[in-house]
Amino acid sequence: MERKINKREKECEEKHSNSEGSEQDKDYQTSLITLNVGGYLYITQKQTLTKYPDSFLEGIINGKIMCPFDTDGHYFIDRDGLLFRHILNFLRNGELLLPEGFRENQLLAQEADFFRLKVLSDAVKSRWEKEQLASRETTFLEITDSHDRSQGLRIFCNAPDFIAKIKSRIVLVSKSRLDGFPEEFSVSSNIIQFKYFIKSENGTRLVLKEDNTFVCTLETLKFEAIMMALKCGFRLLTSLDCSKGSIVHSDALHFIK
């Protein structure tokens, strides 16, 4: 008799446990929300979408804002479906995390405004302003002799990418240790410093890897920098030291778009 009672109790416990499990599964499923944003489907949790009170998404989920449904019964939002992943990542992480090279700040700021996410909108606009400021700042590259800094060339430009292009080409050539090129050099963020600089002597040369152009002497390097700048759409604003009477004999070049 006792064994039968224990068996029945065990069966009741199992049914109760299964009932609780099914209720938990049901609660979990109802907490998942599928959004159709411009044709892209996103599945996330209700608590993610309602993280910021008075936001557009919080209003939809809590019934404050009317939202149409697609043919499958998902909320349909007629916005940029690709950019929405950044909106959703912000809701998940609580901070703005964008991929390297992201260039759609203005569009993302508009999306953030639409979804009434002021914190995100402010973060995007701040990032955009910093990028705009950085693009206007003049950067430079200095190629110099560690023993005589008067021997060298300074290249100024308001585009860091262009400075990086010239720098990378010269560094590549330096590492190849071609005949007549200085073997010992150091590189910092804006300076390439040689232990023994290229002198204006017959036979000294360096080869720029991009087109295997032979560049002889410092003066020819200046011409090469000018040609690279013109090909990239820059113009020579001025020779920063015109007292020597010629661009070729100046110590610095300034490019701008």
Side-chain angles (χ1 to χ4, degrees):
M1 185 68 177
E2 184 178 353
R3 290 180 181 177
K4 289 182 179 181
I5 293 174
N6 290 339
K7 185 178 180 181
R8 287 177 183 175
E9 288 178 350
K10 186 176 181 181
E11 288 176 353
C12 289
E13 288 176 359
E14 288 178 353
K15 287 181 180 179
H16 182 66
S17 176
N18 291 335
S19 176
E20 285 184 346
S22 63
E23 288 296 326
Q24 289 176 355
D25 291 342
K26 187 176 179 181
D27 290 341
Y28 180 74
Q29 289 174 1
T30 56
S31 71
L32 295 180
I33 306 293
T34 301
L35 300 177
N36 181 341
V37 184
Y40 291 82
L41 295 181
Y42 292 90
I43 301 175
T44 186
Q45 295 186 72
K46 180 179 179 180
Q47 64 188 41
T48 301
L49 299 175
T50 57
K51 186 174 183 178
Y52 289 88
D54 300 324
S55 70
F56 182 83
L57 293 170
E58 186 271 336
I60 288 176
I61 301 305
N62 290 330
K64 302 174 186 177
I65 298 174
M66 296 296 295
C67 181
F69 296 89
D70 65 11
T71 55
D72 294 320
H74 306 137
Y75 290 107
F76 177 76
I77 304 174
D78 191 15
R79 302 299 296 184
D80 192 317
L82 285 174
L83 283 178
F84 185 74
R85 75 185 184 98
H86 303 303
I87 302 288
L88 192 55
N89 281 333
F90 174 78
L91 294 174
R92 290 166 173 161
N93 301 315
E95 59 179 322
L96 178 63
L97 299 172
L98 295 173
E100 185 177 350
F102 183 79
R103 289 291 181 268
E104 297 183 303
N105 293 297
Q106 188 174 7
L107 289 174
L108 184 56
Q110 290 179 346
E111 294 301 298
D113 288 338
F114 174 83
F115 286 103
R116 302 179 190 175
L117 294 167
K118 188 177 184 304
V119 178
L120 174 58
S121 178
D122 291 343
V124 175
K125 290 174 183 177
S126 175
R127 181 181 187 273
W128 186 19
E129 289 172 359
K130 288 179 181 179
E131 287 185 353
Q132 292 293 312
L133 182 62
S135 67
R136 290 194 296 268
E137 290 180 348
T138 299
T139 55
F140 73 94
L141 173 65
E142 182 175 337
I143 308 165
T144 186
D145 187 321
S146 60
H147 298 286
D148 184 4
R149 297 199 65 179
S150 65
Q151 293 289 323
L153 171 66
R154 287 170 295 156
I155 301 173
F156 294 82
C157 185
N158 66 336
D161 291 346
F162 177 70
I163 294 295
K165 182 177 181 180
I166 294 180
K167 176 181 173 182
S168 63
R169 289 177 68 179
I170 294 175
V171 169
L172 280 173
V173 175
S174 304
K175 289 181 178 179
S176 67
R177 298 191 175 187
L178 298 172
D179 181 36
F181 198 84
E183 294 188 355
E184 296 185 42
F185 67 97
S186 61
V187 181
S188 67
S189 58
N190 295 94
I191 298 176
I192 301 177
Q193 190 172 74
F194 294 103
K195 184 174 181 180
Y196 300 103
F197 193 65
I198 306 171
K199 302 296 182 181
S200 299
E201 300 171 356
N202 294 330
T204 59
R205 67 184 187 181
L206 74 95
V207 178
L208 299 182
K209 289 289 187 179
E210 186 176 64
D211 53 8
N212 289 329
T213 301
F214 284 89
V215 179
C216 309
T217 75
L218 182 60
E219 286 71 24
T220 316
L221 179 58
K222 294 174 187 178
F223 274 122
E224 175 67 13
I226 292 173
M227 294 305 297
M228 285 178 63
L230 293 177
K231 286 170 64 176
C232 294
F234 294 92
R235 60 189 175 91
L236 180 62
L237 182 63
T238 181
S239 168
L240 297 186
D241 182 5
C242 298
S243 61
K244 297 187 179 180
S246 170
I247 291 176
V248 176
H249 296 102
S250 65
D251 296 329
L253 302 172
H254 191 173
F255 301 106
I256 194 170
K257 265 191 179 178

